[in-house]
Amino acid sequence: MTEFMDLEAQDGVRMPWNVIPGTKQEASNCVVPVSAIYTPIKAFPVNNNSMPILPYAPLRCRTCRSILNPFSIVDFAAKIWICPFCFQRNHFPPHYASITDDNLPAELFPQYTTIEYEPPGPGEKSSVPPVFMFVVDTCIIEEEMSFLKSALSQAIDLLPDNSLVGLITFGTLVQVHELGGFGQIIPKTYVFKGSKDVSKDQLLEQLNFFIKKPKPSTGVIAGVRDGLSSDTIARFLVPAFDCEFTLNSVLEELQKDPWPVPPDQRSTRCTGTALSIAASLLGACVPGSGARILAFVGGPSTEGPAAIVSKNLSEPIRSHKDLDKDSAPHYHKAVKFYDALSKQLVHQGHVLDLFACALDQVGVAELKVAVEKTGGLVVLSDSFGHAVFKDSVRRVFHSGDYDLGLSSNGIFEINCSKDIKVQGIIGPCASLEKKGPLCSDAVVGQGNTSAWKMCGLDKATSLCLVFEIVKKEIPDATLQSTNNQFYFQFLTYYQHNCGQMRLRVTTLSRRWVAGPGSVQDLIAGFDQEAAAVVMARLVSFKMEIEAEFDPIRWLDKALIHMCSRFGDYQKDSPSSFSLSPRFSIFPQFMFHLRRSQFVQVFNNSPDETAYFRMILNRENVTNSVVMIQPSLISYSFHSGPEPALLDVAAIAADRILLLDSYFTVVIFHGATIAQWRKAGYHNQPEHQAFAQLLQAPHDDAGVIMKERFPVPRLVICDQHGSQVGSYHNVQQMGGSLWMIVVCYLLSPGKDILGHSPMDVCT
């Protein structure tokens, strides 16, 4: 597994098959598709071999538009390079005249398979600073309102000084706040009816955009260049350093929605209308700027075009059972609304981030399409006072070692060898509908294109690229030995968080094999962690789009076919079955995937399921594997921290366990350890070893929480403890929460359906 992690450290890519099946039939027999998990703007450590940033424009092939790379064949005498994708001969421009075998440009260095360009010119610096539009729900109780106002005040303090800020609040009505009305004694607010869908023209008219400057008779109204006054825009989008006092004053005076709510009804909340107004306002003022809408939602939408439930409390919010039976009356209408909103946001280049905090569902399942297609962030918590929400909000605006590296205006493109086609991408992006010879007829995720829009992306955003091998015949041995490489090139053009436009280029070469003797080569290049993550994304995608899809049966059949193809066994002798070490953990991953929250929707709401899948679809292989199969670390006096099996035998009185299931981090103290801690032994000088043992899992949990977004929930509990204290005090949540550990550790040989990992192989 180490060699695959080294490849990821170099290029940000993990592929299930690092030796690729060479024909369509071979690829079909391999079950797991030829695919890649790619992190487009992965942060690389700074060292002598770190990725260079070149201050000039890339050199492109004149036929396929791929970029000069280490796999290009160079004729130094004739000053010609041959493209490995289309074999076109290209002349070097004059400024490459001095290249020789000993004087290569950086893009031809063998170790620089990933490289970044930052060409100079008028587009070097963005003319529009970062833009943040806060959309705040006011239909929440006073306690939650105070938590939310406190978190927003801290976020405002962390905003870059040059960033532009806007504020919209909503409840029964939508209120657009004029933050730039300097000199006004009373802040001005424009109010819109929540039940009415407001068009862009109506919005601009009612916001008095055309008082000083008449409305253009024709054309699209988008920014200063197209007819809007910069002074008018500055009324609603104000630099953070100018409006900090005004914004904090508005937040301090913000009250719960004043409209009365009958005891048998829900609050009137017009989430969809508020988001539509925010999108239209940003589309008119700062199109193409990479602006972010940060929506803070505290309950279900009950008013307007995107209502997910009626106001009457007698009507329950849709469940998975309702969705399966197609008996959720509001669901399809709301999804259609947010799908149209996502197209508008993608066209504008804007991002929708969602912070949903409520004990009830808020509509994450419906909002999923808009958040995912724009590359937005999503956080789901029980309360605005919960550490998961508060720490995650701070992480969005944090700058330093653990910043998210938020970037915008991304365009992602793929080039590959002629025998490979692109089926699609599963991840946070939207199709640009660039059709061509690279597009496969079989579509997976966002397909039928070789270019995608990524309105928002960060250092951890990862895409699952799915390919199709189109070569049908097995080539002869001579041709296979001389031309046995497939090439891939991934191009990411994006706006860096410093405002510069950059182009990152990753070029890969993978050997292909075909024929009877190819099985051992395929086994040698199999990455079982990447394969498990690809299967998880595929099964989640299929569960959402295929009505009668049976995920358990699909996973079981896939595992059976994999084992029959790559396992060693004698017919009618189950005890003779064995798998290569390269495949030995894959059945275990499938076992945990079958019982994971991505497949088992029992006891999860549609909002929770949508949330889990959205995080899975944007995370890298390492984090995704933890979601599928939690990691367990054991701490004791007898040895240093060491991995432990997800088995009930891992629980011992003299051990501390650290369970990481990605969304939750649990520190579990054995009974003896808990007694010693309560007795205060760790505070005595003669028991420093015990103090260090107690501190070690906390330090490791702290590192996990610093690196992860959303910030996971921390649970500290004791063996046989009782649940004591308030919900928000995780130090005293111990109690029955130690069952979180037991849920993963009990019955390791069987899942909730009574199947063992190898039952599905026989």
Side-chain angles (χ1 to χ4, degrees):
M1 204 69 70
T2 307
E3 67 269 35
F4 304 133
M5 299 185 75
D6 291 341
L7 290 173
E8 183 182 25
Q10 179 179 340
D11 294 315
V13 178
R14 292 278 291 268
M15 300 183 73
W17 303 106
N18 290 277
V19 177
I20 295 177
T23 66
K24 188 180 183 77
Q25 186 59 47
E26 290 272 354
S28 176
N29 292 340
C30 287
V31 182
V32 178
V34 176
S35 49
I37 304 291
Y38 178 53
T39 308
I41 58 169
K42 176 181 171 65
F44 294 107
V46 178
N47 54 47
N48 293 334
N49 292 320
S50 62
M51 176 192 69
I53 299 177
L54 307 182
Y56 51 84
L59 192 58
R60 290 182 177 269
C61 171
R62 63 183 183 181
T63 300
C64 68
R65 306 300 294 162
S66 63
I67 288 175
L68 181 66
N69 58 79
F71 305 106
S72 303
I73 301 170
V74 178
D75 184 340
F76 294 103
K79 297 295 186 286
I80 286 173
W81 63 280
I82 301 174
C83 172
F85 297 96
C86 66
F87 307 110
Q88 172 67 45
R89 297 168 67 87
N90 301 276
H91 289 277
F92 282 105
H95 58 275
Y96 279 79
S98 61
I99 69 167
T100 65
D101 200 5
D102 300 323
N103 183 28
L104 293 174
E107 56 264 46
L108 289 177
F109 278 38
Q111 69 269 32
Y112 293 153
T113 46
T114 292
I115 203 163
E116 197 157 282
Y117 295 89
E118 187 185 310
E124 184 179 356
K125 290 284 184 179
S126 172
S127 59
V128 180
V131 181
F132 300 98
M133 177 63 76
F134 292 88
V135 181
V136 180
D137 182 2
T138 60
C139 288
I140 51 180
I141 61 174
E142 293 294 345
E143 183 184 17
E144 287 293 296
M145 181 64 77
S146 64
F147 288 143
L148 179 54
K149 289 195 288 189
S150 174
L152 290 176
S153 296
Q154 293 181 35
I156 291 165
D157 292 338
L158 295 172
L159 288 174
D161 287 342
N162 68 327
S163 61
L164 300 179
V165 185
L167 176 65
I168 294 175
T169 57
F170 69 95
T172 305
L173 306 172
V174 179
Q175 299 176 330
V176 180
H177 295 264
E178 185 176 306
L179 302 177
F182 302 112
Q184 293 179 167
I185 299 175
I186 302 175
K188 188 181 291 186
T189 302
Y190 295 84
V191 181
F192 297 87
K193 193 174 181 181
S195 58
K196 185 178 178 182
D197 194 8
V198 182
S199 69
K200 184 176 176 181
D201 289 338
Q202 291 173 330
L203 177 68
L204 298 181
E205 198 71 41
Q206 295 185 42
L207 293 180
N208 297 327
F209 266 69
F210 304 110
I211 289 181
K212 296 182 179 180
K213 195 171 182 179
K215 179 180 178 182
S217 56
T218 59
V220 177
I221 302 169
V224 178
R225 292 181 307 171
D226 297 316
L228 292 187
S229 164
S230 57
D231 293 338
T232 306
I233 294 173
R235 290 161 46 211
F236 302 99
L237 296 176
V238 187
F241 65 88
D242 279 343
C243 73
E244 185 174 347
F245 174 76
T246 306
L247 193 53
N248 280 318
S249 299
V250 172
L251 289 176
E252 284 176 12
E253 296 175 5
L254 202 60
Q255 300 295 324
K256 179 180 180 294
D257 189 66
W259 292 84
V261 181
D264 61 342
Q265 291 192 1
R266 298 180 175 91
S267 299
T268 304
R269 183 182 283 106
C270 54
T271 309
T273 306
L275 294 177
S276 177
I277 288 175
S280 296
L281 182 58
L282 290 178
C285 296
V286 284
S289 64
R292 306 187 79 96
I293 299 172
L294 295 97
F296 299 87
V297 184
S301 176
T302 58
E303 184 86 332
I308 68 166
V309 68
S310 72
K311 297 175 192 174
N312 199 329
L313 280 171
S314 62
E315 178 188 327
I317 301 180
R318 77 280 179 275
S319 63
H320 280 293
K321 195 171 184 181
D322 296 327
L323 297 180
D324 291 340
K325 292 182 176 180
D326 200 20
S327 58
H330 305 277
Y331 179 76
H332 294 292
K333 183 182 176 183
V335 170
K336 184 178 179 181
F337 174 84
Y338 285 122
D339 186 46
L341 182 66
S342 72
K343 292 176 181 176
Q344 178 186 347
L345 290 170
V346 168
H347 178 70
Q348 296 171 183
H350 297 158
V351 183
L352 174 60
D353 299 322
L354 177 63
F355 298 86
C357 297
L359 292 173
D360 207 347
Q361 298 185 70
V362 303
V364 178
E366 288 83 358
L367 275 157
K368 179 177 183 288
V369 61
V371 175
E372 202 161 52
K373 284 191 176 181
T374 61
L377 306 172
V378 59
V379 176
L380 183 65
S381 181
D382 300 327
S383 165
F384 287 113
H386 200 287
V388 170
F389 167 73
K390 293 190 293 185
D391 293 345
S392 296
V393 169
R394 281 196 292 267
R395 280 291 308 281
V396 172
F397 303 103
H398 174 76
S399 59
D401 293 339
Y402 296 101
D403 68 316
L404 297 181
L406 295 178
S407 300
S408 56
N409 277 330
I411 293 179
F412 181 72
E413 295 187 58
I414 295 178
N415 283 320
C416 48
S417 298
K418 65 181 181 64
D419 291 320
I420 300 176
K421 289 191 176 182
V422 182
Q423 290 188 334
I425 290 180
I426 302 176
C429 61
S431 169
L432 286 178
E433 299 182 0
K434 181 184 176 183
K435 299 181 180 179
L438 291 179
C439 303
S440 169
D441 294 333
V443 175
V444 176
Q446 299 289 320
N448 263 333
T449 182
S450 59
W452 295 261
K453 179 73 173 178
M454 301 182 71
C455 298
L457 64 166
D458 57 61
K459 294 188 294 190
T461 302
S462 300
L463 304 174
C464 178
L465 324 174
V466 184
F467 302 100
E468 178 186 19
I469 306 299
V470 296
K471 186 189 295 181
K472 294 184 178 179
E473 72 283 354
I474 299 176
D476 58 61
T478 305
L479 182 60
Q480 184 171 336
S481 61
T482 57
N483 185 20
N484 63 344
Q485 297 291 318
F486 282 149
Y487 297 99
F488 306 84
Q489 190 171 77
F490 308 141
L491 312 176
T492 310
Y493 188 66
Y494 71 102
Q495 182 179 331
H496 193 265
N497 54 14
C498 66
Q500 299 160 326
M501 296 304 298
R502 294 186 178 182
L503 172 64
R504 182 173 295 194
V505 182
T506 296
T507 311
L508 308 174
S509 172
R510 292 292 186 269
R511 182 167 64 95
W512 59 264
V513 294
S518 63
V519 171
Q520 291 306 314
D521 289 324
L522 292 171
I523 291 174
F526 185 66
D527 182 348
Q528 33 197 347
E529 288 187 349
V533 174
V534 169
M535 294 297 280
R537 290 207 192 191
L538 279 173
V539 74
S540 298
F541 171 71
K542 286 177 174 291
M543 288 181 72
E544 291 180 354
I545 66 163
E546 297 182 18
E548 301 299 324
F549 179 69
D550 184 345
I552 298 294
R553 183 171 179 80
W554 185 81
L555 288 171
D556 289 353
K557 287 178 67 176
L559 184 56
I560 291 168
H561 291 155
M562 285 280 285
C563 291
S564 64
R565 169 116 171 103
F566 297 103
D568 294 323
Y569 55 90
Q570 297 174 1
K571 192 174 181 180
D572 299 325
S573 177
S575 60
S576 67
F577 180 82
S578 65
L579 281 171
S580 161
R582 292 285 191 183
F583 278 82
S584 58
I585 310 176
F586 186 72
Q588 185 174 311
F589 286 144
M590 292 299 98
F591 167 69
H592 286 282
L593 178 58
R594 293 168 83 253
R595 62 198 298 208
S596 71
Q597 63 266 46
F598 310 115
V599 175
Q600 300 289 345
V601 299
F602 175 75
N603 206 33
N604 285 329
S605 68
D607 274 16
E608 289 171 314
T609 299
Y611 173 66
F612 295 141
R613 290 175 180 169
M614 289 165 76
I615 301 298
L616 173 71
N617 285 346
R618 65 177 292 117
E619 278 298 336
N620 60 24
V621 170
T622 303
N623 284 338
S624 298
V625 165
V626 173
M627 295 183 213
I628 296 168
Q629 177 178 313
S631 69
L632 188 66
I633 306 295
S634 172
Y635 301 79
S636 69
F637 288 111
H638 312 299
S639 63
E642 57 183 3
L645 292 174
L646 288 167
D647 189 294
V648 71
I651 296 176
D654 60 347
R655 279 186 184 177
I656 303 175
L657 298 177
L658 175 62
L659 178 75
D660 178 12
S661 65
Y662 188 86
F663 299 100
T664 305
V665 175
V666 181
I667 298 175
F668 173 84
H669 301 100
T672 303
I673 297 288
Q675 290 173 1
W676 290 349
R677 188 197 69 235
K678 291 172 184 175
Y681 290 158
H682 58 292
N683 296 321
Q684 300 174 10
E686 61 269 27
H687 295 298
Q688 285 301 307
F690 178 56
Q692 292 171 2
L693 177 66
L694 277 181
Q695 188 60 35
H698 287 267
D699 292 342
D700 292 345
V703 171
I704 291 171
M705 297 178 73
K706 282 181 181 178
E707 294 178 343
R708 190 166 293 170
F709 186 91
V711 176
R713 174 185 173 193
L714 176 64
V715 176
I716 301 172
C717 54
D718 300 336
Q719 186 179 10
H720 309 309
S722 60
Q723 187 155 350
V724 184
S726 68
Y727 178 80
H728 298 293
N729 187 354
V730 295
Q731 297 291 342
Q732 296 182 10
M733 287 178 67
S736 61
L737 284 172
W738 79 281
M739 291 301 292
I740 295 174
V741 181
V742 177
C743 286
Y744 286 111
L745 305 186
L746 284 179
S747 303
K750 299 283 183 180
D751 70 1
I752 58 175
L753 301 177
H755 300 121
S756 69
M758 295 309 294
D759 282 344
V760 294
C761 300
T762 57

